[in-house]
Amino acid sequence: MDGEHHGGSRRHSHDAHLLHGCLQETREINWWIGMLLLIFASLTAVTGYILPYDNYAYNTVSVIYAITKSVPWVGDWAAQAAFAGRFPGDGIIPRIYGYHIMLLPGILLALTGAHMLIMIKQKHTQPQYAKRLAYKKIVGVPLITQQTPIMLLLVLLFTGLVVLFSAFIPVHSVEYYGPPSTQAISSIKPDWYLLWVFGALAIIPGFELEVLGGVISAEFVGAMVFPGIIMAAMFAVPMLDRSKENMYYAENPTNHPVRLAAGVAFLVMMIVLSVAGYKIELIQGGLLTTANANAILWILTIGLPIVSYFAVLGIVRMIRALREADERDALAHAHADD
């Protein structure tokens, strides 16, 4: 009996350890699902503003097709596979339409469902005050009686906004840009969520390097390799967490100054790259010149994140010093009252 009891205890401990590891792993999985949602939501938006197929959409597709074609060794095949043949072609609108209304929404629904299922299991990270109220308990409002009506109201509000936008705000009207043609649009830019990629393309120096029959170009490095590195780094963020325990409660950002400084530096870099997407406008406005634009924008892209990193560390150090001084004063007053 004792052996069975100890064996059961060991199995219970082992199962609990596996469960703990599973829970920790699923939090990482939810981060990766969120990243995939970000990527596929962006692709859905891009395919959406291609469908009107005015001159703006035509120029957009030509850029995306050229970027896809720039992939060494398999670029031409990949571009034709993605866009139903060579661009321009008759199959491109049916192909993009299929992406936009069937493939991408299906992927988004599947990812959203997986995200929600994991979130139901893991629960939201609770605010710090919840630790004092009810340790490891969910603090909030009931789902059926309170959260559900709020969600329904938000859904109706969002639906109304979308209907109003679609009725009163024309998107890439053919009357403005004209029908599709080979005439380039000088002011064409991607939407804000891809503007940083456009900025990287704008400032990377032109080059071509032939390797084993394939050509590695500036277009491929700026639009595929560099964004790929950024995305890979964002996917790797959960792997940098060395904590052995699940996080149930939100943390004060100043408790982790390096993490906070790195996040701010990353955001600053993305903002500077987005500004670099307006290089032509900056030159036309006289803020930069053709000769120095790339050099200055590269210096800002590298230098400002470094400056912001150390600035955040300094600010956090001052906040900690003030907090410690307040704690010392409170402790001194407490002793004085005693």
Side-chain angles (χ1 to χ4, degrees), residues 84-101:
R86 296 188 181 278
F87 176 79
D90 295 334
I92 186 167
I93 291 301
R95 178 63 58 85
I96 297 297
Y97 186 73
Y99 291 156
H100 187 71
I101 71 161

Side-chain angles (χ1 to χ4, degrees), residues 293-309:
N294 280 7
I296 291 176
L297 290 171
W298 270 116
I299 291 171
L300 293 175
T301 301
I302 298 172
L304 281 183
I306 295 174
V307 171
S308 64
Y309 178 86

Side-chain angles (χ1 to χ4, degrees), residues 28 76 163-164 212 236 245 257:
E28 297 168 356
D76 191 55
V163 171
L164 289 173
L212 300 176
E245 296 182 0

Side-chain angles (χ1 to χ4, degrees), residues 11-22:
R11 283 194 301 272
H12 176 75
S13 176
H14 179 67
D15 292 343
H17 179 72
L18 288 177
L19 178 61
H20 173 82
C22 180

Side-chain angles (χ1 to χ4, degrees), residues 86-247:
R86 296 188 181 278
F87 176 79
D90 295 334
I92 186 167
I93 291 301
R95 178 63 58 85
I96 297 297
Y97 186 73
Y99 291 156
H100 187 71
I101 71 161
M102 293 183 65
L103 178 62
L104 292 171
I107 293 173
L108 290 176
L109 284 173
L111 290 173
T112 303
H115 169 77
M116 295 302 294
L117 287 174
I118 294 175
M119 189 189 70
I120 289 172
K121 174 66 177 176
Q122 295 291 334
K123 309 298 186 296
H124 281 297
T125 303
Q126 296 290 291
Q128 275 291 326
Y129 70 82
K131 184 186 294 186
R132 299 188 300 271
L133 296 178
Y135 183 64
K136 289 190 178 182
K137 302 292 183 181
I138 301 300
V139 176
V141 297
L143 174 64
I144 301 300
T145 58
Q146 296 187 39
Q147 289 194 41
T148 300
I150 292 172
M151 289 189 290
L152 289 174
L153 288 174
L154 290 175
V155 167
L156 292 174
L157 177 63
F158 180 77
T159 304
L161 288 174
V162 171
V163 171
L164 289 173
F165 280 17
S166 63
F168 296 104
I169 302 178
V171 180
H172 300 168
S173 59
V174 176
E175 291 82 3
Y176 183 80
Y177 290 104
S181 70
T182 55
Q183 180 180 358
I185 301 175
S186 59
S187 60
I188 188 171
K189 285 179 177 58
D191 286 340
W192 62 270
Y193 46 85
L194 291 177
L195 190 57
W196 62 279
V197 180
F198 188 79
L201 275 172
I203 63 177
I204 191 169
F207 70 91
E208 285 189 356
L209 178 65
E210 186 171 347
V211 178
L212 300 176
V215 177
I216 299 176
S217 63
E219 192 171 29
F220 169 67
V221 173
M224 303 286 280
V225 175
F226 178 70
I229 293 173
I230 296 295
M231 289 293 105
M234 293 181 69
F235 270 97
V237 165
M239 309 304 295
L240 302 177
D241 183 13
R242 299 304 179 189
S243 174
K244 300 300 182 182
E245 296 182 0
N246 289 323
M247 300 304 300

